[in-house]
Amino acid sequence: MPHSVSHHIEVDPVRKIVELRVSGLLSPEDAEWIGEELRAAIRSLGRDAGRHCTLYDGSGIKVVPAATVARISQTFDNPAVRELWARKVAFVVTTALARRQVMRLRQIRPDLGVFDTRETALAWLMEE
């Protein structure tokens, strides 16, 4: 069965930014395997893992199933991945529902930023 989600991960070791762009319908299983790829990309930064910033660009997603939001929340709250936590985290979302769903992650990570555009998210991530 073909996936109804597409994604791209980019690592900028100079600026210490890991960017995940996702579009389509993100199932809990998709979130899990994309998360594994994302953590591998973060580990590729070596000693800078944990000192990096992460940009989650979900502008290509209109809504995320509740089960997927729950899976992402569990991952954010998992002590085993905390060493890979970014110094700053930004989400780009374009719908009110997606914004509300991301805001639920603030229960775990209160400092994450939520933005309408990739440009404003990147500018915020680059601030000291």
Side-chain angles (χ1 to χ4, degrees), residues 10 22 31 36 38 49 55 68 74 77 80 84 89 111 120 128:
E10 196 170 312
V22 182
E36 287 298 322
L38 180 65
L55 173 60
T68 304
Q74 289 169 348
D77 204 25
L84 298 177
V89 175
D111 60 336
T120 55
E128 287 303 316

Side-chain angles (χ1 to χ4, degrees), residues 1-7 22-31 33-34 58-69 72 97 101:
M1 183 159 134
H3 288 282
S4 57
V5 66
S6 65
H7 76 288
V22 182
S23 61
L25 182 62
L26 186 66
S27 72
E29 296 77 20
D30 292 329
W33 64 265
I34 291 171
S59 58
I61 294 178
K62 302 303 176 218
V63 64
V64 177
T68 304
V69 174
I72 293 168
L97 180 56
Q101 290 175 318

Side-chain angles (χ1 to χ4, degrees), residues 36-94:
E36 287 298 322
E37 287 184 23
L38 180 65
R39 287 185 286 283
I42 292 168
R43 285 184 191 98
S44 78
L45 291 169
R47 290 184 296 160
D48 287 327
R51 292 185 231 165
H52 69 288
C53 296
T54 304
L55 173 60
Y56 295 91
D57 185 343
S59 58
I61 294 178
K62 302 303 176 218
V63 64
V64 177
T68 304
V69 174
R71 177 76 53 93
I72 293 168
S73 295
Q74 289 169 348
T75 301
F76 263 74
D77 204 25
N78 183 344
V81 298
R82 294 221 174 172
E83 68 186 30
L84 298 177
W85 265 24
R87 181 177 60 81
K88 287 175 97 173
V89 175
F91 279 83
V92 177
V93 292
T94 57

